[in-house]
Amino acid sequence: MRLLLFLAFLVVPVLEIWVLIRVGEVIGGWTTVGLLFAAALSGSWLIRREGRRVWQSVSESLAAGRIPDRELGDAALLLAGGALLVAPGFVTDIVGLACVLPVTRPLVRGAARWFFAQRLRKLAQAGPMPGMGGPLGFPFGAPEGDGPTRHGNRTVIHGEVIRDEPAGDPDGGTQARRPELG
C-alpha cells in the first residue's frame, strides 16, 4: 500500500509533467493546453453518459431482487475514472478512459477485484489487529446485546419472554395480579 501511495503522489505527477513537456514540444504549448481542455470536457460528457447507464442497471438489479455487486463496482470505477479524466494530464486520461469505457471497464474491474482479493487475503493471514483480539474484531467479545455471553460454564442468552395469553384472560388464568405500569 505504501508503494501505491508513493506512486500516486510522487511518480505520477512527475510522469505527467514529463509527458506534457514532450507533447508540448511536438505539437506546441497552446495546442497541448487545448487538447487537455478538450479531454476534460469529453471526459465529463462520457462520465455523465456512462453514469446514467450504470444507474439504470443498478435500478434494474434492485427491481429484480438481485444485489447489484457488479453494477456498484462499475459505479466505483466510473467515479475513479471521472476524477482521473478531469485531472490535467495525458497519463491520467488514459487510465481514466480505461475505467470509464464499457469495452475496457470489465478488464479494469477484474484487475481491481484481484488486487482487493489479494489485500484481503494478506489481512486475513495477518490475524486480528493489536487490541482487537475478540470475536468479530471487538476487543472484549461481541458487543453487548448482540449475542450470547459466557458466565463461568454457563451461556447466557439475553432476550425477552413473550407469552401468548388468551384474549379474554389477561393474566393467563393466574390469581396473582400484575403490577400496573404508569
Side-chain angles (χ1 to χ4, degrees):
M1 194 58 137
R2 289 181 185 152
L3 177 64
L4 285 177
L5 290 175
F6 174 75
L7 290 174
F9 290 111
L10 185 66
V11 174
V12 171
V14 170
L15 180 64
E16 286 287 5
I17 292 169
W18 182 79
V19 169
L20 285 173
I21 290 171
R22 295 292 172 222
V23 170
E25 288 174 350
V26 173
I27 65 173
W30 288 110
T31 310
T32 302
V33 171
L35 191 58
L36 287 172
F37 187 69
L41 285 178
S42 60
S44 63
W45 172 80
L46 186 61
I47 290 297
R48 292 184 78 192
R49 187 186 79 164
E50 290 302 313
R52 283 190 201 113
R53 287 183 180 177
V54 167
W55 182 255
Q56 183 179 7
S57 64
V58 167
S59 299
E60 289 171 357
S61 293
L62 289 173
R66 289 187 304 110
I67 296 175
D69 54 349
R70 182 186 57 80
E71 292 85 358
L72 291 176
D74 282 350
L77 286 175
L78 281 176
L79 183 64
L84 292 172
L85 281 172
V86 174
F90 294 119
V91 176
T92 54
D93 285 347
I94 291 170
V95 176
L97 277 174
C99 291
V100 172
L101 290 175
V103 176
T104 56
R105 196 179 320 136
L107 298 173
V108 176
R109 187 184 332 113
R113 182 180 297 135
W114 176 84
F115 174 77
F116 287 116
Q118 295 299 318
R119 292 289 300 159
L120 285 175
R121 275 193 204 99
K122 285 182 183 178
L123 286 174
Q125 290 171 353
M129 293 175 57
M132 302 299 274
L136 304 176
F138 293 98
F140 304 109
E144 266 188 56
D146 283 358
T149 56
R150 304 269 316 154
H151 290 285
N153 60 354
R154 299 182 314 157
T155 300
V156 178
I157 300 175
H158 302 280
E160 180 181 342
V161 175
I162 300 174
R163 292 192 176 104
D164 291 335
E165 299 175 356
D169 191 8
D171 50 337
T174 62
Q175 296 296 328
R177 204 66 194 137
R178 291 186 189 170
E180 293 188 18
L181 299 175

